[in-house]
Amino acid sequence: MKYILVDYESVGTAGLEKLDQIENSDELVVLYSKNMPYVSIDLLNSVRDLGAGIFKKVLYTGENSLGNVLCMLVGQKMEAFAGSFLEVIVISTNKNYDILKERIESSTAGPRKAKTSYKRYPAIQDMIAGKENELPSIPMEPDEQSIEKQVNEQ
């Protein structure tokens, strides 16, 4: 089973083309917030027709709130699949999610955690074609610590 988490704010409707080619055994979670309030009826119907697809509105506000919720959902699913294998797929153009790969795959499986793999694709159609990580990331605002570190290094 694939656990597919979509950062809808990053990929929009264009990132969800070929949604109908996702396997019925896969679980799809499309995350969005007030920053992306419009979701088309056709897209809602396509996700509903999958059976295992849901939209989740992230009600938290602030920097990286959608990413924080995505990470929390991955952790919950890893615990729910304890003792088995879980394939986590993130659909996003944001390369910041790739930090999860090292964290997830370095965790040892055990009685409270699933053996987990991680991949990120810029769109569903890229996942189906096997084209991993090919789009540029969304520019992220540097935080104060990274700016201070850069200044100190100069």
Side-chain angles (χ1 to χ4, degrees):
M1 178 195 119
K2 293 180 186 100
Y3 186 49
I4 305 166
L5 297 135
V6 178
D7 177 348
Y8 187 68
E9 292 177 3
S10 168
V11 300
T13 304
L16 295 173
E17 292 175 13
K18 298 191 179 182
L19 197 56
D20 59 336
Q21 294 184 24
I22 292 176
E23 296 177 26
N24 289 338
S25 61
D26 297 340
E27 185 175 340
L28 175 74
V29 179
V30 181
L31 298 165
Y32 70 102
S33 71
K34 66 179 184 175
N35 296 333
M36 182 69 102
Y38 174 75
V39 179
S40 76
I41 295 295
D42 290 340
L43 183 57
L44 288 170
N45 288 336
S46 295
V47 171
R48 183 199 64 210
D49 291 345
L50 286 173
I54 60 169
F55 269 86
K56 279 190 180 281
K57 183 170 185 177
V58 175
L59 300 176
Y60 305 105
T61 57
E63 191 174 338
N64 298 320
S65 59
L66 197 124
N68 292 338
V69 170
L70 186 142
C71 291
M72 179 195 67
L73 291 172
V74 168
Q76 287 176 339
K77 191 59 79 169
M78 286 175 71
E79 189 171 326
F81 272 70
S84 61
F85 180 75
L86 175 65
E87 186 177 358
V88 172
I89 295 176
V90 173
I91 305 296
S92 177
T93 58
N94 188 340
K95 290 183 181 178
N96 289 340
Y97 290 118
D98 292 346
I99 296 168
L100 284 172
K101 180 177 180 66
E102 183 180 332
R103 179 81 173 151
I104 287 171
E105 293 183 352
S106 67
S107 299
T108 55
R112 293 192 45 146
K113 197 180 313 178
K115 175 69 177 152
T116 308
S117 73
Y118 168 90
K119 290 182 181 174
R120 179 184 58 81
Y121 297 94
I124 294 280
Q125 52 272 31
D126 295 312
M127 177 190 78
I128 291 166
K131 297 178 182 175
E132 198 174 347
N133 305 334
E134 291 192 3
L135 289 182
S137 67
I138 296 173
M140 300 298 287
E141 294 294 323
D143 62 11
E144 289 180 29
Q145 288 179 337
S146 64
I147 292 171
E148 184 177 322
K149 183 178 177 184
Q150 290 174 0
V151 169
N152 290 338
E153 288 175 353
Q154 295 175 355

